[in-house]
Amino acid sequence: MSHKAWMKTVPTENCDVLMTFPDTTDDHTLLWLLNHIRLGIPELIVQVRHHKHTRVYAFFVTATYESLLRGADEIGLRKPVKAEFGGGMRSFSCEEDYIYENIENELYFFTSQERQNIIRYWLENLRAKQGESLHNIHFLEGQPIIPELAARGVIQQLFPLHEQRILKRLMKSWVQAVCEAQPLDEICDYFGVKIAMYFAWLGFYTSAMVYPAVFGSILYTFTESDQTSQDICCVVFAIFNVIWATLFLEEWKRRGAEFAYKWGTLDTPAESIEEPRPQFRGVKRISPVTSAEEFYYPPWKRLLFQCLVSLPVCLACLSFIFLLMLGCFQLQEFVLSIQELPRIIRFLPKIVLAVIVTTCDEVYKKIAYWLNDMGAW
């Protein structure tokens, strides 16, 4: 099932995160995972549904308002404080929940992105106990279960659902709007700070490009046709670009800091150490740092793989595409040298080159994924 098809099956108010499984998933796997989620994360509400046409199972995951409040306290979610208590942004605390704005309103206190972030945090921190296994998958003690099952293909997809009501509003005020400022606060509330910051930068960059575009057009219009005038204009335009780039960077630093302060991320502490990728493999050992069991892969083996496999494969791919390009160029010269050929045939080498580049792009992408996964062993 596609994301859009599943998205239409249930309102977002009844589901925040959707977890789908391949159609070959057996009942034992579903019950095993469902039991672990309900016992390990009692805050979550999980509904099991089955699509009658594709025979695909899915877990519809959500949580109660009280559970989300405890989750916000657990992850230190920053929320705006009422003006009478000092205002600004502060990490949420259940003990002082009365100081936060809209705390009384269950529908508007959390945005959909915040709800989904809390639920995702719980799911990704569902950890295995010592000796636990599912079929041929053997977990380490304390290893996250959901990312490992997703990497092994047991879980097909894990993604948040959209709110159609908010999407329609953003479609009118943002996508379909012409010559209007972006609703950055609404984007931040729905998609999160990172996405909003990207579009804030993109809008600022687009607006800033007006100055070199106008200045360059004026220079191009009044430049004489002689080489001296053109050289002088090039130097002037280069100096202008240097000044413009400096001012652009400094202005964006200030604008970005304003957004970070406004959205409560200016003094956010650094992210904690991430878990190893689920694709990471190695031999089990006791960590000399944490004294916990972990996968360990010797650095010399990784270096050996890079030198004997990664580097030759990359060089072979580069050489292959380089030779193909030379062959296409030679074919182009040969075709152009024959005057009797139809005009459309003269474009044949360029078409062949475009097809080859597109095909090689897909092949090289798969090779890159394989090399990246093998580099985790």
Side-chain angles (χ1 to χ4, degrees):
M1 292 292 293
S2 67
H3 290 60
K4 292 184 177 180
W6 274 112
M7 193 188 305
K8 300 294 185 181
T9 58
V10 66
T12 307
E13 285 75 10
N14 298 329
C15 177
D16 291 296
V17 175
L18 184 64
M19 185 186 303
T20 62
F21 301 88
D23 54 3
T24 56
T25 305
D26 57 273
D27 293 341
H28 170 71
T29 300
L30 294 173
L31 293 175
W32 184 91
L33 181 57
L34 180 63
N35 182 62
H36 275 67
I37 292 177
R38 286 179 172 172
L39 292 179
I41 319 173
E43 297 87 355
L44 293 182
I45 301 173
V46 183
Q47 297 182 12
V48 184
R49 300 194 180 183
H50 181 252
H51 198 280
K52 63 180 181 180
H53 297 299
T54 61
R55 307 182 65 84
V56 172
Y57 281 95
F59 288 177
F60 289 77
V61 186
T62 186
T64 63
Y65 182 58
E66 291 74 17
S67 298
L68 291 173
L69 290 176
R70 292 193 296 271
D73 190 346
E74 187 176 350
I75 68 174
L77 182 67
R78 298 177 66 83
K79 298 295 293 182
V81 178
K82 296 178 180 178
E84 58 265 31
F85 296 103
M89 304 285 289
R90 190 183 303 179
S91 297
F92 183 80
S93 173
C94 288
E95 296 180 356
E96 299 178 327
D97 56 359
Y98 56 89
I99 71 174
Y100 299 94
E101 292 184 0
N102 296 323
I103 187 64
E104 303 84 4
N105 195 323
E106 297 184 12
L107 296 179
Y108 295 100
F109 182 70
F110 289 113
T111 65
S112 60
Q113 185 267 342
E114 290 171 340
R115 294 199 312 267
Q116 293 159 355
N117 190 40
I118 294 171
I119 293 175
R120 187 194 66 175
Y121 169 80
W122 280 331
L123 289 174
E124 291 182 349
N125 281 274
L126 177 63
R127 300 179 181 272
K129 298 178 181 178
Q130 185 176 7
E132 278 194 315
S133 62
L134 174 63
H135 299 307
N136 62 336
I137 303 175
H138 301 279
F139 297 96
L140 294 176
E141 182 179 3
Q143 182 180 7
I145 294 177
I146 301 296
E148 178 68 17
L149 294 181
R152 297 292 190 105
V154 177
I155 297 175
Q156 188 178 43
Q157 298 179 94
L158 178 65
F159 57 91
L161 293 183
H162 280 297
E163 282 196 52
Q164 297 299 323
R165 172 178 54 85
I166 300 179
L167 282 182
K168 290 180 180 179
R169 188 169 70 239
L170 285 174
M171 180 67 70
K172 294 181 180 179
S173 64
W174 184 27
V175 180
Q176 298 176 350
V178 179
C179 297
E180 295 183 13
Q182 297 185 94
L184 294 176
D185 290 333
E186 295 183 21
I187 297 173
C188 180
D189 291 339
Y190 187 72
F191 291 104
V193 175
K194 292 182 179 180
I195 302 298
M197 190 67 75
Y198 166 76
F199 282 104
W201 175 85
L202 188 62
F204 179 75
Y205 175 71
T206 304
S207 301
M209 286 295 292
V210 172
Y211 299 101
V214 171
F215 186 75
S217 300
I218 295 174
L219 280 181
Y220 179 79
T221 302
F222 292 100
T223 300
E224 301 293 337
S225 58
D226 60 286
Q227 186 64 39
T228 303
S229 299
Q230 294 179 1
D231 292 341
I232 294 175
C233 288
C234 287
V235 173
V236 172
F237 191 59
I239 295 175
F240 173 84
N241 281 337
V242 171
I243 299 174
W244 171 83
T246 303
L247 295 177
F248 168 78
L249 290 175
E250 295 301 321
E251 179 63 21
W252 171 247
K253 288 179 182 178
R254 190 181 73 171
R255 189 74 60 87
E258 291 177 358
F259 286 129
Y261 177 78
K262 182 180 181 181
W263 293 332
T265 59
L266 187 62
D267 56 348
T268 301
E271 295 182 0
S272 58
I273 299 176
E274 296 182 356
E275 293 284 342
R277 287 193 303 154
Q279 295 89 345
F280 187 84
R281 297 291 179 267
V283 296
K284 293 183 180 181
R285 74 164 190 175
I286 302 299
S287 172
V289 178
T290 63
S291 299
E293 192 178 23
E294 66 176 4
F295 282 124
Y296 174 74
Y297 195 77
W300 67 269
K301 288 187 178 181
R302 184 178 294 107
L303 181 61
L304 188 65
F305 179 84
Q306 293 173 351
C307 294
L308 299 183
V309 179
S310 298
L311 184 60
V313 169
C314 292
L315 292 177
C317 293
L318 290 173
S319 302
F320 178 72
I321 195 65
F322 179 73
L323 293 176
L324 282 178
M325 290 178 60
L326 287 181
C328 290
F329 292 154
Q330 292 294 330
L331 180 62
Q332 179 73 27
E333 293 183 3
F334 174 74
V335 170
L336 293 177
S337 64
I338 304 176
Q339 302 295 332
E340 297 80 8
L341 290 177
R343 181 178 179 83
I344 192 172
I345 302 296
R346 297 173 179 269
F347 294 96
L348 183 61
K350 297 180 180 179
I351 297 174
V352 172
L353 179 60
V355 173
I356 290 176
V357 170
T358 303
T359 305
C360 289
D361 181 62
E362 294 298 323
V363 175
Y364 289 174
K365 184 186 296 184
K366 295 181 179 179
I367 295 176
Y369 281 135
W370 178 76
L371 290 175
N372 188 63
D373 292 339
M374 291 299 296
W377 284 68

